[in-house]
Amino acid sequence: AQSVTQLDSQVPVFEEAPVELRCNYSSSVSVYLFWYVQYPNQGLQLLLKYLSGSTLVKGINGFEAEFNKSQTSFHLRKPSVHISDTAEYFCAVSEMNTGFQKLVFGTGTRLLVSP
Amino acid sequence: NAGVTQTPKFQVLKTGQSMTLQCAQDMNHNSMYWYRQDPGMGLRLIYYSASEGTTDKGEVPNGYNVSRLNKREFSLRLESAAPSQTSVYFCASSSKDRGDYEQYFGPGTRLTVT
């Protein structure tokens, strides 16, 4: 069975500073990896995904993530955050080669951007 | 396209009451899911339907039932609500056939059981 660990429940940062949100996963098989964002009182929206190929993945709103198989990590980064990036971010994993996609989510990291 | 829609948006129930949460998608997706979101616990899968005509239990199925009414609709039923079912419920859909592996989420239903 897979599991996802997001060690930081909350990350405060100043506007225009860089940020990294950490995600580690555990699985006995190869996986696909995702980051979703949830703005207040809304559903989840896909930021980016890693399916195969280049380990550096670029997503929407200037975010990127790097897949590190040896460290079983998929950390999310942004070089310069904006106030509007304040949201909750979820890392998720699903097994490859299933007939459908069954996601396992981390507990989330709340990013708080202040002026 | 409306994407994934959920009704109602808010609901307050008394302990022991029943209700059905409705979900519909207009993207011709094969798979549909129900999650609950609780503070500090992320999203946990309640039930899923890999394809029309099939349903399976997820991580936290106790106290819930589901119906995949057709390819578009997937409902979640609470037969006898309990305070522990106070949560925000999200429906999602996906289609591996699209090759994108993305799950598309509805806006959620905020349920309070008193």
Side-chain angles (χ1 to χ4, degrees), chain A residues 10-14 110-114:
Chain A
Q10 191 165 289
V11 173
V13 64
F14 289 109
R110 187 171 300 276
L111 178 63
L112 298 169
V113 183
S114 53

Side-chain angles (χ1 to χ4, degrees), chain A:
Chain A
Q2 314 109 287
S3 66
V4 177
T5 301
Q6 293 181 248
L7 287 172
D8 304 307
S9 59
Q10 191 165 289
V11 173
V13 64
F14 289 109
E15 195 174 18
E16 297 183 7
V19 70
E20 178 179 85
L21 306 184
R22 296 181 293 167
C23 172
N24 288 88
Y25 70 92
S26 172
S27 177
S28 57
V29 300
S30 296
V31 296
Y32 300 128
L33 293 155
F34 306 82
W35 275 99
Y36 282 83
V37 60
Q38 184 180 31
Y39 298 103
N41 299 313
Q42 293 187 27
L44 277 71
Q45 176 184 356
L46 184 71
L47 264 183
L48 49 78
K49 62 192 174 193
Y50 172 77
L51 303 182
S52 65
S54 172
T55 56
L56 183 62
V57 179
K58 294 192 184 297
I60 62 171
N61 301 339
F63 284 93
E64 63 181 32
E66 185 153 20
F67 170 53
N68 188 319
K69 189 173 183 179
S70 63
Q71 296 187 3
T72 60
S73 67
F74 190 54
H75 300 333
L76 181 71
R77 301 185 184 100
K78 186 169 183 178
S80 176
V81 295
H82 192 269
I83 297 282
S84 60
D85 292 323
T86 294
E88 189 147 22
Y89 293 79
F90 292 95
C91 182
V93 63
S94 72
E95 290 183 358
M96 287 187 181
N97 301 322
T98 58
F100 64 97
Q101 187 201 55
K102 190 174 167 186
L103 285 174
V104 174
F105 284 88
T107 53
T109 297
R110 187 171 300 276
L111 178 63
L112 298 169
V113 183
S114 53

